[in-house]
Amino acid sequence: MFSIEIEQVKKELGTRTLFQIPKLTAGTRARIGLVGRNGVGKTTLFEILAGIKEPDQGEIRRKGSTGYIRQLSPEDDRLSGGEKTRKWIKAEMRQRPALLFADEPTSNLDVESVRHLERQFKKYSGAVFLISHDRAFLNEVVDTIWELENEIITVYPGNYDAYLAAKAKQHEKAAQAYSERQAKKSQLEEAIRHREKEAGKQVRPSKRLTSKEIRSAKPSKGVQQKKQHKLIKAIEKRIDRLETVEKPYQFKAVKITIPKERMLKPGSAVLTAQALTLQAGEKVLFQTKGFTLRAGEKVVLSGVNASGKTSLLRAIIGEDSALRLSPDVTIGYFDQELRNLDKAATVLENIQKANVHEDKVALDVLGSLHFDQEDWQKPVQVLSGGERVKLSLAMLLTQGANFLILDEPTNYLDIEALEALEQMIASYEGAVLFVSHDRMFTEKVAEKMLLIEEKELRLIDQPPDVYKKEKEEPQVEEDKLLLTLRQSEIAAKLMEPQLSEAEKKALDEEYFEIVRKLKHI
């Protein structure tokens, strides 16, 4: 049974077609993840499916009520962190719509809130449709991926990892087809060169030859050349008839360098924090005994919502007396309000103002973040929220800073741009302090942690995944021991003759529930 049926739906933006969908359906318990680059029309499609906007043509049949959790803009005045996001989600889910559309619902949520949302969406009774850059979240929740690319929707069964595997196979197949086509073309072109060479070798018979000798000689140069050129034209037609195969897109890795005059000595102190207490008004956010961040380190600032992460970043930028920066430090700061953008200027004009490298470096960074050449002349004011975030990051990466401070840089980015940002930050030669609740991004980039926990800030000299594993292992072992002891108790009780059938049944059920839990630990 379908929760939604989409037929011949089309939407245009000016002269540009965003998408055309001949026919598409989803079941009543569907878990759909919609993926695609920033600006392709994902949010517009969700607004149409949810009944907020109308398509230019086509029909949408819905079975039941709809709910829409909208994407908060990176410039939204109401954006104050995860509390706003959680409040919006609760308000929509309380209505229990049959079709729930959620556009970037994990933005600004801390890790525990994201995990809670995963559990809510997994057990939700209706159909759930998600737009999310959080790959770990998609893996946990969805069972189908809809990819919006080149104006069409392609359906991939499975979660995000399954989608990636299918795309990798497609890319491999396309690369093989392109290679075979190029090899065949080269072979035919070589045959043309050979025929042209043969035609050039033909010579006319000498005038000194007798009539008999001329008749027995090979055909004249003109005849032979005509024959060769006829063969060449036949081969050229074969080349023209070769199936057109586009060269598969190959991601170009871009390394962000720092000008020599701004390079810091490896291991030198970038930021030294003395013992301090950070407050918001009368409220104590956290205390710390102090820490030091060094050149080249990639450090994630972690903590629950409202624990003081953004306040710490602003204190560093504001040069709090207890937070001492090296005099040689040049900061590049990414904030969620995107203050470094000139909205009236074009994409190219914005990055040219920031860039301290050759023009090619700026253009390579734009390309890695999927700004095509046709995007360069667009004014910032017409860009989507995600495109503005990408431009702001591109400007930051090319301005020559040796210490990047990034406050939630992964929000609103499409997944391909997110992966490009991972690569660029990992190869960046300077120090990076960042806040992100994207678990996969954090695990790929961070080497250390600044952790705010129970109103205390401390530096953890381990990557987040290693720290988490070591922290959880003792608890896991304790849980296993307690479950095993309870299992033994139940086994002993089941041997008691005075137990009623109802008591035996209850103990049996508890015993097998423990078996199930032990398998999952």
Side-chain angles (χ1 to χ4, degrees), residues 16 27 33 56 73 135 141 228 240 253 287 309 317 354 378-379 390 407 425 506:
R16 172 189 165 207
D56 294 327
S73 166
R135 294 155 289 179
V141 177
Q228 294 295 344
D240 291 339
Q287 296 179 326
K309 299 186 295 296
I317 301 299
K378 288 181 179 177
K390 289 196 295 187
D407 191 4
I425 290 180

Side-chain angles (χ1 to χ4, degrees), residues 101-121:
F101 297 88
D103 191 349
E104 297 289 4
T106 64
S107 293
N108 306 297
L109 293 182
D110 58 48
V111 173
E112 287 308 312
S113 296
V114 171
R115 286 177 175 153
H116 176 67
L117 189 60
E118 283 174 359
R119 293 190 291 270
Q120 283 184 297
F121 280 164

